[in-house]
Every structure is written in structure tokens, then in C-alpha cells.
Amino acid sequence: MITQAVGEQWHDGRVVEEGPGIRATLLHADFEELLDGGGTGHALPFDALADLATSRGRVLLQAPAGSGKTSLLLALVKAENDAWQGHYLDLGRLDAGEREWFRTADTAEEWLWSRLSKNRTRPAFVCVDSLDEIPIEQGQNVLDAIDSLTSSRPDWSVIVADRPGRRRIRPTRWALVTLPALEVSEVEKATGVRDAPHWLQLPYFVNRWRYGGGTNPAQVIAVSAQSAMTPDEMDRVGLGALRTWQLSDNSDWIRKGLSPDLIDRMMKSGLMSTTQEGQPFLHVLVHGYFAARAVSTDRELWTKPTFEALTFKGATFDALGMLLTMIQDEDVDRLVRQVDDWNFYAAAFLLAEDHDSGERTSEWLSSALLLLLGVRRLSPVPSTRLQVEDSLRLHAGPLAAEVLQAGNEADLVGLARQCAINNVWWDRWLSIYERMGDDVVDYELDALSDQDSVLAWTAANVLLRQSLDDAARRRIADLMDRGADAASRWRAVHVLGGGADVATASMLLERFHKDQSIWVQTGALRSLILVASRLPESTERTEIFAELADKSRELLANPKFLREVERSTQVSPVPDDWPVAVGVLIEELWAHSATIEEQDRWRRLSAGLRTRWSGLSHLGTL
């Protein structure tokens, strides 16, 4: 949806006439400052934000769902003046066909230019909403396209709205801005609630309070739904909401299957949009509520494809958080485990949400997952370390804080041993975890293919940090070659990433070429690059990257592979010849790139490796 003239009446997330109005934003120096609670930074009043955008060309506005980002963007567009012409673009309301343009940065730039350059007589002031409502890879392509557009067209100014989280941008070119939460005194005045929880400090939920309260975001939305709809109607809409996300279909077919009376009731209760254009729900949180409701009643839907649909392939976890609050206590551990088996960052988010809302996850499972994050924090890949640290800070519980301060493996084992947990499962998990730094024993190797994925991944991360003898290496190689399930093979290639010899590198290279699972291939590629960084001879290292260079077209065909090359080659520490060795691969990726933008991507990586510029603030997301 693109508008140049914005209407005067917007509901809830768009207009806040009964609650807090447009607030000052905060300008941040880097992602560390923005993600550290978001309360620090330089205050920017409304007019100053527009000035910042026109002077810098690019602004990334990050804040949680319900913070008022859409209200702010629409107000900026509505305030257009003689100096510029405003455009509003909501990525969340585009259909699957239009989103196909975002498959590369080059096609995304072509699409943006064709849509926003028509009938323009003044400099363009573009507000792009809902970056987090498209998959991460597409979102990154949109950011790269905007970076290119504003570089070549100084009469363009762009503000992009997103959820909090690291993106692969250059802070020297982008301004980072957030919307702070409301003061608890403001919330109490509007709702009567004292010491409001963090989610109620978001304007969206303050505005919805007039429909009825609740103890969590899902309940607040449920009150509105229950007052307007029967349970059967809620179930039907829930299945439609989930299907819409599963199919990436915003064609508004949900509305066509509902009676005019139900649509009217949903509109009056602030659930459905009055516009016929695109996404039928008034706010993405409402859509997330109904989709999560459908998933909450059917455990068979607790699978990777469903989780990817609920989160736009990992771009935002709000719907998962609502799902957590809808299920029974006895199902909480199962959900957390299922999510962890798909994406351990998403599981960390659930643990943080659970910590804030009542800690229904069992102590042994939550403690094990937090301590496992601590091991991953010791990764030699900087982007992994950063994202794990962000997850631990988000949790803010005492064990998470201690894990964040742990300096090495011994510290983590000490924390695990201090946990006073009397549970059989915990005892088994601890017997694996505390072996970091010791010799390999058979039950660690057995655990690699355990049906309990938490135990299996714990074993993989412990074995990664142990010296493997020939017998252990043969067992892991056998699992990598003959493992019946992709998860076991993935864990095997992960363990081999701790090696430092040509034989291990050769095994990983072969697995990358022949495995049928994209996750195993990506894991093998990552481990191969890590092994290459430890090889004793420069010639051996160069040969490894020459082998990968021969597969440059295969790498270029898969965005996951390319992202892994970018992340893992920034490993630390590295030998002095690292830029030269990796350069063999980069040269081939550059030569076979289809666009100038793709070539620039590899030029930047090459320059970064040569100048060691890959500091923490430059690193992007998974």
C-alpha cells in the first residue's frame, strides 16, 4: 500500500487520541545502546526526526510492536511540506507476488524506484513500515536497496520501521532511532494500573485497555474478541489468520469468507480494519493473536513450518510469545523444546517472556537452555556471540545475568553445578554439560543422536570444545555420513567444526557438497570455514577456499550460504594470511555476481577482512 494523502482517522496503533500522543524518539550511537533497554540516547522531537532523515538520508526506527511506529510514520507523511513529498509504504500489506521483488537487493531497488518515483515533483520523503513482517533475508535486501537508492539519489530521504534487533547496516550511513516505552505514571493515569508491566507501557495496549484489561497481551486482545465473537467464530478466524501467514497471502480472502455482521462486530471491537486493501486485521498483533490461537489448540502444528509462518521466518517473535500464554502449564516445556529445536534464539525469547509473565517453564529446562546459550556465547563467530548476548540481556533473570558475565567454560560449569535442582533429567543433562574440557566418553557420543534435542545439542556443543581421539572422530564421521535424520547429521558437522586438520576439512567439504539438507550443508560450510582458520599451513587454507571457489555458483544460488560466508569468515582470531586465503573465494563470488550491488557486497567483505573493520557494530542478524 502506498499513499500520498493520509486520511485523518486511524485506529489504535495508528491514532492515539484517547491515549499518549506522538512522542519524542531517541537517537542511538549503535545497536548496543539501542538494544540495552532503549532508554538512553539523544531525545529527538517530532520535527527533528524529519530533519535527521533529510540530512542523513536513511533512518532505521526500531521499537517493539505496539510502540506507535505506524502512527509516527503516518504523522510524518501527513506533515509533508513544500520541501518534500511524502510516501508511506507498508511492507506487511504487500501480497506474495509483490514480495518476490525483494528476492535480491537489485530487484528490490528496481521495485522501490518504479513505485515511488511516479508523479514526483519534489524530493521524496519515504516512510517504510513493517520491515519485520517480511522474512529476514528479504528485509535485508530492502535495506540494501534503500542504502543504494539514497546513495545515488540525494533527493531521497527514507525512514524504515522495524522491531529491535541487529541488522546488517553501516552505522556511519544510517541513523538508529527508537521509540521509548511510556512512563509508568502515564500508564497509570490512562488505565488505573500501577507499576505496569513492560508490555502495558506500549501505546497500543494502553489504547486497547478501553475494551477491557488482561494480564498479558493475548488476554487484552482476547477480551475484545470474546465480546464481539462466539468461540466458533474465533476459531474460524484463527485458522484463516494462520493460513494467510502460511501462504504469505494478503489478498483479503479472510474477509470474503465472513458474514457482514461478523465483520461489522470485529470492526467495532477494534479487530478488523475498515479498509478493503491488503491485510484485513487492524494491527499485526491482532493477526498474531488469532494465528497463535489456532496453533495453541493443535500440538501437531508445533512444527518448524508453523513457527516460520508465525514469525515471518524468524523476523519477529511476538506471536510466539502470545502462543506461550495461551497453552496449559503442562504444555509449556514441550512448546519451548519444539521451538528450541527450530531456533534457539526464538526459544530464548520465550524464556524471557516466561520470566516476565510467571515462569511456567520448568526450572531444569530453562536453566539448561540459558547455560547452553552461555556455551554458544563463546563462539569464535562474532555475530553469534552478539546475538546470544542480546538474548541473555533480554531475559534479565539472575541466572541469565551470571551466564552473561561468565568468562570461560569453567565458569559456566561452575554455574551449572551451583544450581540446586533435584531432577533426573537435569542430572543427566549436567553429566554431559560438565564434561567441557575433559576427555570424550561414550555417553556424550551416544547423546548426539538422542531423541531429546536439548541433550543432543548440549552434547554437540560440549564435544565441539573437546579433543577428539581417532575412535571418537570415526563415530562422528559415521553419524555424519549415515545419520538417518538431518538433525543428527547437523550436530555431527557442528562438532567437527572444532577440528584443525585437513582430513576434517575434507570430510566437511564432502558433506557440504552431497547432503540433501540445507541446514546440514550450512552447518558444514560454517564448520569448514572455522577449521580452515586453524589449519597450520597457509597452502592448506588456500586450497580449502579454492575448492569452495569452484562451487561459487552453487553458493550464489542460496542466500543462506552467502550469509554464512559473510558471518563465519569474520571469525576471531585468524591467521595473518586469512584475507588472502578467503580472497580466493571472494574473487570468484564477485566475478559471478549478477549485479553491481552483489559485487559491492563482496568488495566490502574483502576490504573488511583486510582492514579488520569487522567490529561488533557492523555485524548483522542470522
Side-chain angles (χ1 to χ4, degrees), residues 2-11 14-17 22 46-47 50 69-89 122 125-128 159:
I2 301 173
T3 61
Q4 288 178 272
V6 179
E8 295 185 1
Q9 190 67 28
W10 297 85
H11 195 284
R14 294 181 169 80
V15 125
V16 284
E17 52 191 305
I22 299 298
F46 180 76
D47 292 341
K69 300 186 295 294
T70 299
S71 293
L72 177 60
L73 295 186
L74 290 168
L76 286 166
V77 172
K78 187 177 180 181
E80 73 171 64
N81 52 44
D82 293 339
W84 42 266
Q85 184 173 338
H87 302 265
Y88 174 78
L89 171 61
R122 288 168 286 164
F125 189 95
V126 183
C127 291
V128 179
I159 299 180

Side-chain angles (χ1 to χ4, degrees), residues 89-95 99 129-131 133-134 245 250 278-279 312:
L89 171 61
D90 189 342
L91 302 181
R93 293 177 181 260
L94 300 178
D95 61 34
R99 292 183 189 181
D129 207 354
S130 309
L131 185 71
E133 293 178 32
I134 61 176
W245 275 352
N250 281 339
Q279 166 66 261
F312 305 102

